[in-house]
Amino acid sequence: MSERYVLDLREVAETQVAVVGGKGGHLGGLSRIEGIRVPDGFCVTTDAFRRIMAEVPSIDDQLDQLSCVNPDDREAIRTLSARIRRTIEGIAIPGDLRGAITRALGRHGEQAAYAVRSSATAEDLPTASFAGQQDTYLNVVGPTAILQHISRCWASLFTERAVTYRRRGGIDHRTVHMAVVVQRMVFPDAAGILFTADPVTGNRKVATVDAGFGLGEALVSGLVNPDVFTVRHGEIVARTIAAKQRAVHALPDGGTREAAIDARRQEQPALTDAQVVRLVELGRRIEAHFGRPQDIEWCLVDDDFQIVQSRPITTLFPIPESGDQENHVYLSVGHQQMMTDPMKPLGISVWQLTAMAPMHEAGGRLFVDATRRLASPASRAALLDVVGRGDPLIRDALETVLERDDFVPSLPDAGPGGPPARGASAPIETDPAIVTGLIERSRTSIAALERDIRTKTGPALFDFLREAFEEHKRVLTDPLSMQAIMAGMEATWWLNDTLREWLGEKNAADTLTLSAPDNVTSEMGLALLDVADVIRPHPEVVAFLRGVESIEDDAFLDELAKVAGGAEARDAIESYLDRYGMRCVGEIDITRPRWRERPTTLVPVILDNVRNFEPGAAGRRFEQGRQKAREKERDVLSRLRALPDGDRKADEAKRMIDRVRTFIGYREYPKYGIISRYFVYKRALLAEAERLVEAGVLPEQEDIFYLTFQELHDVVRSHQVDDRLIQRRKDAFRSYHALTPPRVLTSDGEAVTGAYRRDDAPAGALIGLPVSAGTIEGRARVILDMGEADLEAGDILVTAFTDPSWSPLFVGIAGLVTEVGGLMTHGAVIAREYGLPAVVGVERATRLIRDGQRIRVHGTDGYVEILP
């Protein structure tokens, strides 16, 4: 039995993570790469850990307690985890296990010095590194000390930081086991870290080397600043040589100590240039073996590099597959659609099948390839102009890439028929009947879809849906619809640009568009005020809604109808859901739960409306906005007429004001149509999933969300599914939440962030994009989940992004700050509709602004001040 407790590192395959843990598996893989030297040693396997855990009294009860603790309850985690560690360290190692370890020590040198290192089964994985979560002990000498430190490594599976890390990652403590790597100690002249991709920008063509004298522990612990070398294409392109005052060295009898470095050596580089380049070459070999960028710990001994660890760099955003070796520049779709969260595979594939342009997936997000449009001067100028108006950070990021002359190829213009010049009026009359007709055409198309899909099941459903997707794209690309959208946007741009030139007034269109007609998204927010009006007179209904957390969504409306006034309240909510129930947060992902599926999502907003508003607020809000817009129009036209050539200027402005009020509300309707169609598709697919569950093909309906549309079609046809594929997709989706999608991403993997090139804001202000004029001061409410909203009148909403589903919150706030957004994205349009000062595109706003702080939002100038 003893042989399963210990494996020599040279016997270990990198696939044996369940036996030797992540670190052990990687070291086994490293030892097989030609030209890579790994210190000799062995691995005490997870079988040994399980044997020890079986000896621990009442371990199941202790793990149960640990699993029930809130991840934020640090005191409880500290107490419970310390108790488990003490118990494990106190277990006597059984004789056969002790014998297997001491025999292995005999083979490698019983009195030699060793590094004893934890190697958990959930560490150094492609999706989660768990770096630093368990323990490593250096320069351990003698069997007794080594056995003691192996026990400490087993116990370190339950350090406070490791327990918290697993709890936050949704990983069950029982599923993780601990192996221990015991390696011959290396006494290096220098040591450090090599990243085979730039860990900050993500650029896969750039490697960085951190280096210091002595053991690498001095760098890892932060004792010294390292020398930093940046290497690209085999050449050092940047270097920083630090003053390295201290180093960590091994002691002859075991353990380590800090020591001062001789003053003459402190500012000498720890590595020569030739050594740096040679090290990066070794790193590229390791990266090629493991198939992904690596974070490598290295030691230099007598001009020879030894590799003591390699793990995947898990923080890098993945690169879309291009199928070629050419350079590509990708734009984030999520930043345009106000949904930067990861999407599930079915959501991604349905969006790809219904989108107007080819889209590429990476990290659970979608990107469009802008390389061709950036390559020719005319299309480049048009693209930069459009994205710059919407999101200056994207424009700046693209300009940063374009400044590198060699990255984007330069191609001739396609021809004279390029995009129209900015501000050119679309060839469409200013006629409200156009909008009415477009809306009616969309409704008719959706009604036909709902009617025709009812009889479709099995493979025939998928054939029908592929045809429906073509109709979907036809509706989306309707030339008249596109002209109506552009007419409203171009009129807005004209008013802002021209009135600033003529009158010196910023963002005049913000007031002129208040309460514009036919805006389905702003109507959605006002309609929930009407629902609150129905509920407010019934205290039993209000009390019921306050306690609704314990009620399942499918029973919510039926239970509501049982309380006094509840039938009326239910009818009001049902009526609202009939019109808007297809909406939800992150609605571009078909897999997200819709309000119709989860109506309790609306309860916090309804209760806020009951508390913060008087009856009839919706009508008053809309009328007040309309009156303000009329007053602004009269004011603007009067001031224009007083200018030289004033009558002409006033007439031009009047035409554009009429145009913007006719068309700007329609800007929101196509998205409403898309999401309405999505809900029809979703219900049909879920009905198909239910049949698969009944047939025993799938364990759960929502497993279909982890298949692409084509894969689901195949499962329906064959009644066979790869359960492992679904599990892998679930694990990957969970890992994608830790990734931040960049606005611009290159095929080198570089996340290009962009910057606001401005100096017109006070020191310390948070810079963003001004999208709705005015200045407001109030309490910041940092809300990341609409279902957890708890707003008072005068609050300022601070969040990552807002899609149309957030608009019911807009009626109850005084201002808006978001991390993602542009001039014509939904949050900006609705903020202007409601007259809310708003600044969007404020990087890291939800982390820099604390919930409850007082802030001042400068919606005209585009910055936010945090007040004392």
Side-chain angles (χ1 to χ4, degrees):
M1 292 291 287
S2 63
E3 65 273 14
R4 68 177 193 170
Y5 292 141
V6 172
L7 285 175
D8 195 274
L9 275 180
R10 281 169 295 195
E11 300 174 63
V12 171
E14 62 203 66
T15 54
Q16 290 180 284
V17 171
V19 178
V20 297
K23 188 177 288 133
H26 271 76
L27 286 167
L30 282 166
S31 65
R32 286 176 162 73
I33 305 173
E34 188 177 347
I36 302 300
R37 290 197 57 194
V38 177
D40 285 342
F42 59 91
C43 200
V44 182
T45 68
T46 53
D47 285 335
F49 173 76
R50 276 189 284 267
R51 172 79 184 275
I52 290 296
M53 290 297 280
E55 306 272 335
V56 177
S58 67
I59 188 63
D60 285 336
D61 291 343
Q62 293 184 63
L63 291 179
D64 283 342
Q65 290 179 53
L66 205 54
S67 298
C68 293
V69 172
N70 185 315
D72 296 321
D73 189 347
R74 297 186 62 178
E75 189 56 43
I77 289 176
R78 186 178 299 123
T79 303
L80 287 166
S81 59
R83 187 189 310 155
I84 294 173
R85 286 200 308 280
R86 282 195 304 273
T87 306
I88 293 172
E89 287 186 38
I91 297 291
I93 299 177
D96 56 340
L97 175 50
R98 176 184 290 266
I101 294 169
T102 53
R103 282 193 295 278
L105 283 171
R107 289 194 297 275
H108 289 279
E110 191 172 276
Q111 292 304 315
Y114 288 87
V116 181
R117 312 167 71 197
S118 306
S119 180
T121 53
E123 98 180 308
D124 294 351
L125 304 179
T127 56
S129 76
F130 285 73
Q133 299 307 311
Q134 284 90 34
D135 289 350
T136 287
Y137 301 96
L138 300 177
N139 201 30
V140 184
V141 179
T144 302
I146 287 168
L147 288 164
Q148 181 185 35
H149 284 85
I150 288 171
S151 286
R152 288 181 180 172
C153 284
W154 287 328
S156 76
L157 191 65
F158 297 98
T159 61
E160 181 187 344
R161 62 184 182 271
V163 168
T164 302
Y165 194 100
R166 288 195 296 273
R167 289 285 285 123
R168 292 194 188 285
I171 297 170
D172 185 343
H173 302 301
R174 287 180 177 79
T175 64
V176 184
H177 300 108
M178 181 66 83
V180 181
V181 173
V182 181
Q183 269 181 297
R184 286 290 294 259
M185 188 68 192
V186 176
F187 302 100
D189 306 313
I193 311 291
L194 160 64
F195 292 100
T196 64
D198 188 316
V200 177
T201 69
N203 195 325
R204 287 6 179 226
K205 299 285 177 67
V206 172
T208 64
V209 175
D210 290 7
F213 293 120
L215 292 167
E217 204 64 13
L219 271 60
V220 174
S221 65
L223 179 66
V224 297
N225 290 324
D227 297 339
V228 180
F229 301 88
T230 304
V231 179
R232 184 183 178 98
H233 299 313
E235 291 184 14
I236 296 173
V237 294
R239 64 165 59 73
T240 303
I241 306 304
K244 300 169 288 295
Q245 296 176 344
R246 303 188 72 73
V248 175
H249 295 289
L251 294 169
D253 296 327
T256 61
R257 68 175 175 87
E258 291 178 25
I261 295 174
D262 184 284
R264 288 167 298 182
R265 291 188 68 213
Q266 286 180 6
E267 296 195 23
Q268 287 181 4
L271 295 177
T272 67
D273 285 3
Q275 287 170 336
V276 170
V277 171
R278 180 153 49 94
L279 175 61
V280 171
E281 288 171 357
L282 294 175
R284 292 289 178 221
R285 204 175 298 175
I286 294 168
E287 178 184 68
H289 176 84
F290 288 117
R292 65 186 73 238
Q294 297 289 301
D295 163 0
I296 298 166
E297 293 181 25
W298 56 268
C299 295
L300 180 71
V301 185
D302 299 329
D303 196 34
D304 189 21
F305 285 105
Q306 298 211 30
I307 305 302
V308 295
Q309 188 163 336
S310 184
R311 61 167 75 92
I313 308 175
T314 59
T315 55
L316 300 177
F317 200 88
I319 306 171
E321 292 282 343
S322 65
D324 60 40
Q325 298 301 309
E326 303 298 318
N327 290 345
H328 295 270
V329 181
Y330 299 100
L331 301 187
S332 163
V333 173
H335 284 81
Q336 298 160 50
Q337 291 295 333
M338 298 301 94
M339 213 293 274
T340 54
D341 289 347
M343 297 167 68
K344 294 190 178 85
L346 185 63
I348 286 170
S349 65
V350 170
W351 188 265
Q352 287 173 316
L353 289 165
T354 53
M356 292 186 289
M359 294 193 177
H360 308 266
E361 184 273 338
R365 278 77 167 192
L366 287 166
F367 295 85
V368 291
D369 188 344
T371 318
R372 183 66 186 81
R373 291 189 67 187
L374 290 170
S376 66
S379 59
R380 179 191 312 144
L383 177 63
L384 290 174
D385 185 53
V386 170
V387 300
R389 284 184 169 277
D391 187 337
L393 291 177
I394 294 181
R395 176 174 185 141
D396 187 74
L398 289 175
E399 287 175 334
T400 299
V401 175
L402 289 166
E403 283 167 8
R404 302 167 190 160
D405 294 334
D406 59 340
F407 194 82
V408 177
S410 189
L411 300 173
D413 289 334
R422 175 173 61 77
S425 296
I428 182 175
E429 293 299 315
T430 304
D431 181 0
I434 293 173
V435 172
T436 307
L438 285 168
I439 291 172
E440 187 52 41
R441 199 185 305 180
S442 176
R443 285 177 181 158
T444 302
S445 175
I446 292 166
L449 171 67
E450 288 177 322
R451 182 188 65 238
D452 296 342
I453 205 169
R454 284 183 194 133
T455 57
K456 305 296 189 291
T457 61
L461 169 65
F462 289 83
D463 295 337
F464 173 84
L465 282 172
R466 286 198 180 272
E467 291 178 18
F469 294 165
E470 293 308 308
E471 166 67 4
H472 181 122
K473 288 193 278 192
R474 191 195 64 73
V475 171
L476 207 57
T477 55
D478 180 341
L480 188 61
S481 177
M482 301 293 286
Q483 288 173 330
I485 292 168
M486 289 308 299
M489 290 169 62
E490 288 171 348
T492 302
W493 296 340
W494 188 95
L495 286 166
N496 280 335
D497 290 351
T498 309
L499 295 182
R500 185 167 189 172
E501 179 188 337
W502 288 348
L503 298 175
E505 183 170 345
K506 291 182 183 177
N507 302 338
D510 293 359
T511 309
L512 293 166
T513 54
L514 288 171
S515 297
D518 299 311
N519 188 318
V520 69
T521 308
S522 63
E523 289 166 5
M524 178 170 70
L526 296 174
L528 208 57
L529 287 175
D530 291 335
V531 172
D533 285 355
V534 174
I535 288 168
R536 194 178 291 106
H538 302 291
E540 294 91 340
V541 172
V542 174
F544 172 85
L545 293 179
R546 284 184 181 138
V548 88
E549 287 181 9
S550 59
I551 298 174
E552 293 292 325
D553 277 281
D554 54 7
F556 163 60
L557 292 170
D558 290 337
E559 293 297 315
L560 172 60
K562 295 175 184 176
V563 304
E568 196 181 345
R570 179 198 59 193
D571 291 347
I573 294 172
E574 282 277 15
S575 177
Y576 185 85
L577 292 172
D578 285 345
R579 179 124 203 245
Y580 305 112
M582 77 294 290
R583 310 220 81 149
C584 68
V585 173
E587 60 192 9
I588 68 169
D589 183 351
I590 196 174
T591 72
R592 289 285 191 105
R594 310 285 136 175
W595 290 343
R596 170 56 81 181
E597 297 169 309
R598 203 171 283 177
T600 53
T601 304
L602 295 170
V603 168
V605 192
I606 294 171
L607 287 171
D608 284 346
N609 289 347
V610 168
R611 184 175 67 246
N612 296 333
F613 292 92
E614 296 295 322
R620 284 195 303 276
R621 286 286 296 264
F622 189 80
E623 189 53 38
Q624 285 165 4
R626 196 162 59 170
Q627 290 298 336
K628 280 185 187 173
R630 282 179 179 165
E631 288 165 15
K632 184 68 174 178
E633 178 180 335
R634 284 195 293 269
D635 171 61
V636 164
L637 297 180
S638 164
R639 287 157 61 201
L640 287 174
R641 287 194 183 98
L643 298 175
D645 197 18
D647 286 344
R648 179 189 64 81
K649 288 175 178 173
D651 288 347
E652 279 190 56
K654 172 62 175 164
R655 279 199 301 276
M656 285 300 180
I657 291 168
D658 289 347
R659 197 163 179 78
V660 82
R661 290 198 66 80
T662 298
F663 291 115
I664 200 64
Y666 180 71
R667 164 76 178 78
E668 293 293 296
Y669 200 86
K671 182 73 169 285
Y672 175 80
I674 291 170
I675 303 307
S676 297
R677 299 178 77 90
Y678 267 26
F679 195 32
V680 179
Y681 307 152
K682 181 180 186 180
R683 284 185 291 194
L685 291 171
L686 282 175
E688 203 59 42
E690 186 56 36
R691 286 187 276 274
L692 291 171
V693 171
E694 289 169 1
V697 178
L698 288 175
E700 294 178 17
Q701 247 188 325
E702 294 191 355
D703 283 349
I704 66 166
F705 296 163
Y706 297 93
L707 300 170
T708 66
F709 183 81
Q710 183 57 52
E711 287 166 350
L712 179 54
H713 188 179
D714 293 341
V715 170
V716 167
R717 205 165 33 215
S718 67
H719 267 216
Q720 292 182 319
V721 69
D722 183 347
D723 295 330
R724 290 169 302 175
L725 172 68
I726 290 175
Q727 189 55 52
R728 283 199 304 275
R729 295 267 178 82
K730 288 179 178 180
D731 293 341
F733 177 71
R734 195 180 301 116
S735 74
Y736 293 154
H737 282 87
L739 300 174
T740 300
R743 284 175 165 82
V744 174
L745 179 66
T746 73
S747 49
D748 286 351
E750 183 178 3
V752 192
T753 53
Y756 293 107
R757 311 288 177 180
R758 288 169 45 189
D759 56 8
D760 58 348
L766 307 181
I767 306 296
L769 179 66
V771 296
S772 186
T775 301
I776 193 71
E777 185 177 314
R779 179 179 68 157
R781 294 311 316 271
V782 180
I783 298 173
L784 300 178
D785 181 347
M786 183 180 146
E788 295 175 4
D790 180 15
L791 295 163
E792 300 286 348
D795 283 347
I796 297 168
L797 174 62
V798 180
T799 192
F801 57 81
T802 62
D803 60 12
S805 71
W806 286 74
S807 63
L809 290 184
F810 284 28
V811 298
I813 59 176
L816 174 70
V817 179
T818 69
E819 294 179 341
V820 175
L823 192 63
M824 282 295 170
T825 49
H826 304 279
V829 171
I830 304 309
R832 291 193 290 272
E833 281 277 319
Y834 288 162
L836 302 173
V839 181
V840 303
V842 180
E843 293 277 82
R844 300 173 60 234
T846 60
R847 281 166 280 184
L848 296 173
I849 300 171
R850 291 196 312 275
D851 187 52
Q853 276 186 315
R854 289 195 68 77
I855 62 173
R856 187 181 296 127
V857 178
H858 295 263
T860 305
D861 295 310
Y863 62 89
V864 180
E865 291 179 282
I866 299 175
L867 303 176

